[in-house]
Amino acid sequence: FDLINNRRSLLFKVGVDFYLNDRNTFSFYTNQNPFKGGPDGSLRIIYPDNPENNLTQNLDLNFENQNSTYNFVFDHKFNDEGHKILLESNYNYFDEDENSSFTFEGNTGNLAAYRDHVEEERENLVVNLDYENPLNEHSKLEMGAEARILNTDNAFTTTNEEMGNATYQYNRDIYSFYTTYGQNFEKWSYQLGARLESFKVNAIYNEEEIFTDDYLNLYPSGFITYTPEEKNTYQLSYSRRIDRPGFYQVTPIRNVSSPRLTVSGNPELQPQFTNSLEFNYTRKFEEKGSFSAGVFFRNLNDEISQVFLEDPEEPGSLLLQFANFEDNNSYGLELSTNYKFTKWWSTNTSFEVY
């Protein structure tokens, strides 16, 4: 393939901080990112023994979008040191218009030139409320709440009779509450935490609801650390986390299209969950650096990966999508070191086997 990218992107950022007094701060900034351009080139399928079957797809993709972000922060400090509360709101609006054309040369068969037009609007709102309170010299409490609201709207029109027009709306609401509590002693320290999360999503394709989900999950975490002396530290930790699919992994509207391959998302894609158990040892070399060694075990549920399928709309062609796989267990060893030989020379080295 041969591709030439011709694009123009500008980024503007303006912000301001208001120090109302010693304990209250208000901050605001906005990012504005207009973009215009796209790739122009060709994709070729070459048969060395049968050149009469060679096929070339010429493509000209033009994107024009506006990506706008507005961020607000209010920070309040209480009388005691480290005792504070912070409210942050981040709103992002993305609007894109795509106009693309495709032509064919060589053994085109029943392939005809066509044009695509894609309109996309996406709104994403994230609001966080975080509270920290050092209860005493040895204990600390943290609490917080978060709302993540995503709304998208896509419209796809094409002159390709094999594909057809489509509309797609994807809406996702996530509400969560977390808390952590930790204590430090002379040689021992620990922290326990949990995140309770409500998740709701629905997807509408061509005015028909094709996927919906609504569930409540708990994600615990914790660690315990033992430091018998300043140079040596041992830590045992456990966590459960979630990795959600991105928007382009779930939209059924095509991302890439070639004569024999179409790439699109999977609206029924489920999140991926990871349970991780780790044990680490760290040795400090005074002011020269440190060495760390750790063993881990990770259990992945509903692992997200890509898979090739036969395209039901185009016999003989392939469809590349994301899918959830069976559980995946992994374990291994991680080694890392950083060492400062002189004031101007230092190294960082890492090794992992699993």
Side-chain angles (χ1 to χ4, degrees), residues 243-279:
D243 297 299
R244 292 190 178 85
F247 172 70
Y248 291 105
Q249 292 177 302
V250 296
T251 174
I253 295 178
R254 70 107 181 103
N255 295 323
V256 178
S257 179
S258 70
R260 294 292 180 263
L261 176 66
T262 299
V263 181
S264 68
N266 176 7
E268 299 184 3
L269 196 64
Q270 296 286 344
Q272 170 182 289
F273 297 92
T274 304
N275 295 285
S276 179
L277 181 65
E278 300 185 17
F279 177 75

Side-chain angles (χ1 to χ4, degrees), residues 179-196:
T179 182
T180 63
Y181 176 76
Q183 286 188 304
N184 293 288
F185 302 101
E186 183 177 350
K187 296 183 179 181
W188 293 88
S189 65
Y190 74 89
Q191 179 176 289
L192 300 175
R195 180 183 180 94
L196 182 65

Side-chain angles (χ1 to χ4, degrees), residues 85-88 126-131 142-148 174-179 194-196:
I85 189 169
L86 184 144
L87 173 65
E88 180 176 10
V126 180
V127 180
N128 291 287
L129 180 65
D130 297 305
Y131 172 76
E142 297 183 22
M143 303 174 67
E146 182 181 65
R148 305 174 69 91
I174 305 171
Y175 300 97
S176 58
F177 171 80
Y178 82 88
T179 182
R195 180 183 180 94
L196 182 65

Side-chain angles (χ1 to χ4, degrees), residues 8 79 115 140 150 153 208 214 314 336:
R8 183 188 65 187
N79 292 330
R115 301 183 65 87
K140 184 177 182 180
L150 172 67
D153 192 353
E208 178 183 353
D214 188 355
E314 295 185 42
S336 65

Side-chain angles (χ1 to χ4, degrees), residues 53-117:
N53 293 329
N54 290 353
L55 175 63
T56 299
Q57 179 189 47
N58 301 307
L59 52 89
D60 183 9
L61 279 63
N62 294 281
F63 300 88
E64 186 171 357
N65 63 55
Q66 175 70 38
N67 195 349
S68 302
T69 299
Y70 304 90
N71 182 273
F72 160 86
V73 176
F74 176 71
D75 187 0
H76 173 73
K77 295 179 174 62
F78 296 93
N79 292 330
D80 297 332
E81 184 178 355
H83 188 192
K84 60 183 180 179
I85 189 169
L86 184 144
L87 173 65
E88 180 176 10
S89 176
N90 193 88
Y91 173 75
N92 176 260
Y93 178 74
F94 179 81
D95 184 14
E96 182 174 74
D97 193 73
E98 174 194 344
N99 287 284
S100 303
S101 63
F102 304 87
T103 60
F104 301 92
E105 298 176 6
N107 184 24
T108 59
N110 61 349
L111 296 172
Y114 66 94
R115 301 183 65 87
D116 286 348
H117 180 221

Side-chain angles (χ1 to χ4, degrees), residues 124-141:
N124 191 19
L125 175 65
V126 180
V127 180
N128 291 287
L129 180 65
D130 297 305
Y131 172 76
E132 295 183 18
N133 186 2
L135 302 176
N136 52 51
E137 185 180 352
H138 302 289
S139 304
K140 184 177 182 180
L141 174 68

